[in-house]
Amino acid sequence: MVSYVYLLEYEPQTICEHLQYLFALLQNSNRRYIDPSGFIRALGLDTGQQQDAQEFSKLFMTLLEDKLSSQKDPYVRDIIQNQFCGQYAYVTVCNRCGRESKLVSKFYELELNIQGHKQLTDCITEFLKEEKLEGDNRYFCENCQSKQNATRKIRLLKLPPTLNLQLMRFVFDRQTGHKKKLNTYIGFGETLEMEPFLDQTDTKYVYELSAVLIHRGVSAYSGHYIAHVKDPQNSEWYKFNDEEIEKMEGKKLQLGIEEDLAEPSKSTTRKPKCGKGIHCSRNAYMLVYRLKAEEVPEVDFEVPVFLQKLVELDNCKFEEWCVEMSEMRKESVDKGKAKHEEVKELYQRLPAGADNAYEFIPLDWLQKWLDESTPSKPIDNSKYLCTHGKLHPDKISSMKRISEYAAEVFFQRYDGGPRLKAESLCKDCVVERCRVLRLKNQLNEDHKTIANMVKVTVTSGEGFWIGKASLRRWRQLATEQLGQEDEFEQGDVKINGSTPQKEELLEEKREEDTETGFNEDIVCQHGCLCISESERRLISDATWFKLKEYFPTAPEFRHNQEPCCQCQVLEREGERNDALHKKMANDQKLALPNLFQDKNRPGSSWPQETSELYIVSQFFVEEWRKFIRRPTKCGPVQSLGNSHLICPHGGLMFSFSTMTKEDSKLIALLWPSEWDVIQKLFIVDHAIKITRTVTSEDNNVATLYTSEPELCPECREGLLCQQERDLREYAQATIYVHKVVDNKKVMKEAAPELNVSSSDPEDEKEEPRPEGENDPDFSQANGAPKRQKVSIQGQVSYQKQGIRRSTRHRKVRGEKALLVSANQTLKDLKIQIMHAFSVAPFDQNLSIDGKVLNDDCATLGSLGIVPESVILLKADEPIADYAAMDDVMQVCMPEEGFKGTGLLGH
């Protein structure tokens, strides 16, 4: 009891304690594999993110050495250095005087370049080769007191008992700007003689292969690690693949399938032939060699008592789990056997004979009863019933007819209902179904007949008027009258299947049909024949009477039926109103030609020819221009409302300095002559006037701008704050990105899903004009009028005098529109730009108004990117291979590595 209380009090906390407990479990646990979750949590690692094994090895060795440095036992304190630490020296020799400079350094692993090599010994030779220091890279010799040509090399001084060799498979590709994996074969032996590489040694350094770490995969940013480890006591090899531990046969290292890449390799290099004791691998990432000893000493592993008790407690839990799993398996096997006996008993008696009583049960329930070992749910026949409470004939295909004996057993054991016997089939539904099928067949025949009959020209003195829409969809209406939801054809539109688009179309048509019945589309609001002949046509008497068989109550109009008199009167009144509106628009256009054409407007500086200007709402000007362009479609403007330009205190919320700049989208400036005309044509609620006064005193000229009513500073400040807040808190707004190369805009194909349409709104389209009529909205080129394109609203674009200036941003060649929100980061925007321009984020140089955008974590609102902003994109090196964009996405931001984990705690 005391020991268990102690166990409850002790729990590994530090990294070393977790590692100690992990080793104890590896030594004495009964489990097939050990879960290192506690150790991983102590290190602060994220199991969902793949990290580099070599980097982990370096950091963990350093961390462990630092943690053990405070131990009193010298064996424990120095175990990392004694086992893994070696020494080499950077040796530089002056070519002139021969002076040798030596810098001794420790190492825990040797990083070997494999590019261009086939054997491990070649990699070590290159690691130790001499390097010439010449030209700009010459060495400053302290003996010569000047820069001299020299040679530099690494000289191995001391090797550790355990030699870690790290093969540098992951290299930086300068062309793509990200890492790649070298999937080249490297040969390494089961023994490695290091005497030839040491400087002056009499000791034999013969190592034997102890472990191989495999990185399976073609990419540097994904893959899977598999370890092969040799047991030094019995020389047997084991493969560790996550929770799968496999013992190699014959005490030999067998890489096997680990050499198969996860994806097809672009390289066609074949595996070279390897001699005895040599292994060739294109996935080997780390090699561990152990110094060979003549006799392997017997090691007595003594686990501390408190750890052994923890292990025993874990073993007890594991044994309990094994017993529980065994009981569950036995229970499952027993249930399976019982189910098998039940199926065996009833299977032969399921079929119902020709003259025997039978019942219906759902086919899916019977399949589950046959397939699953778990007890079946109660039999539910309710969803197969018709409105009369009996078996629906259309559900027969979902049912299975079985013998009455089998049905009795099923309902006794599994319950459910209602029971459906032979007499449960609904005769009323069967009769109705047969009737509908006969009518449907007749409908198909009549559809072909009527399609041929309407092609015949109607003779004079006969015929009926029918709506063109009704003629197109009469078959659909007739089918719906039969209460069917079968597939049908409507004109050129085929409605089948269950795709979302077709379902939406079908729903729209049904909604439309509920509003208008057959031939009701040519009935006017007064219940008479409509006056529009384009919506109806004549058909023969025989065709009409054929259709009347399906629609006996449909509205009927003979060929000599007069259209509705009231509609004709209303049409004439509408024509008169259109004429009046056209005349009104033409008169107003002649009275205010410059306002309509946007010519000779007051600009950013005050015009010299007047001391007064008037202010109106820009909304009023735009609505008035719409009426002038489309007098028959848009209602006339009756009044001018300036009240929203004035604050609740009766003051003006705009100053002259902003009226011609940022506030030009809200207000328009008028000449005094235009204001006089405005007052005569429209009802004006508030007159707003700006007056300029020039004073001269002591040869100093001062200009004063006053307004009636006067400016309200408090409300003006509130308006500015609101505008600033709106610009910083937008959602799904449009911005534009220019791609420039050598300061020239270029055009790339856009990603359609990211672009925003720049077409004109429906209410901006012009009405057809008589030939020869001049329109200031048209520019004359080669005698032909050409309408100027209007782009997305929001930004004033400069145009030459005499041409109407648009208040919309005009997209140009090489520019793309993106939908963004103020709270998204610059990194998110770069990813959008990558999809639109095929330029990786790390190749993007973005700027706005000369300001460089480089803070990827900042939001667009904080960077001053507002709706309608134009961002310049300059690409360093566009990536041509768009298929490799997934790998690029993983390296578009600086790698974090093991930042924030316990490995960097030292």
Side-chain angles (χ1 to χ4, degrees), residues 18 140 161 187 308 310 336 373 393 421 477 531 616 753 778 855 877:
H18 277 283
F140 182 83
Q308 182 58 35
L310 275 180
S373 59
K421 300 185 178 181
L477 295 174
I531 60 177
V616 297
E753 68 275 7
F778 286 74
D855 187 357
E877 226 176 275

Side-chain angles (χ1 to χ4, degrees), residues 886-905:
D886 288 340
D887 276 350
V888 175
M889 283 286 292
Q890 302 185 52
V891 295
C892 61
M893 300 301 295
E895 295 184 32
E896 296 290 337
F898 291 95
K899 181 180 179 181
T901 68
L903 290 170
L904 299 179

Side-chain angles (χ1 to χ4, degrees), residues 27-61:
Q27 183 64 32
N28 294 331
S29 176
N30 294 334
R31 298 179 184 269
R32 185 168 58 90
Y33 63 90
I34 304 300
D35 181 9
S37 298
F39 178 60
I40 291 173
R41 286 193 295 268
L43 290 174
L45 298 179
D46 180 9
T47 57
Q49 182 179 5
Q50 178 167 308
Q51 299 283 8
D52 183 62
Q54 292 183 0
E55 185 181 2
F56 174 81
S57 175
K58 296 174 188 177
L59 292 174
F60 183 65
M61 285 294 184

Side-chain angles (χ1 to χ4, degrees), residues 444-482:
N444 292 334
E445 294 295 327
D446 290 345
H447 179 262
K448 298 177 183 178
T449 302
I450 292 176
N452 293 326
M453 294 175 70
V454 296
K455 297 177 182 178
V456 180
T457 305
V458 181
T459 59
S460 59
E462 73 159 2
F464 288 83
W465 290 109
I466 185 174
K468 292 181 179 179
S470 295
L471 186 60
R472 284 195 301 270
R473 59 188 181 92
W474 76 268
R475 186 185 180 189
Q476 171 197 348
L477 295 174
T479 304
E480 291 180 353
Q481 285 188 170
L482 298 177

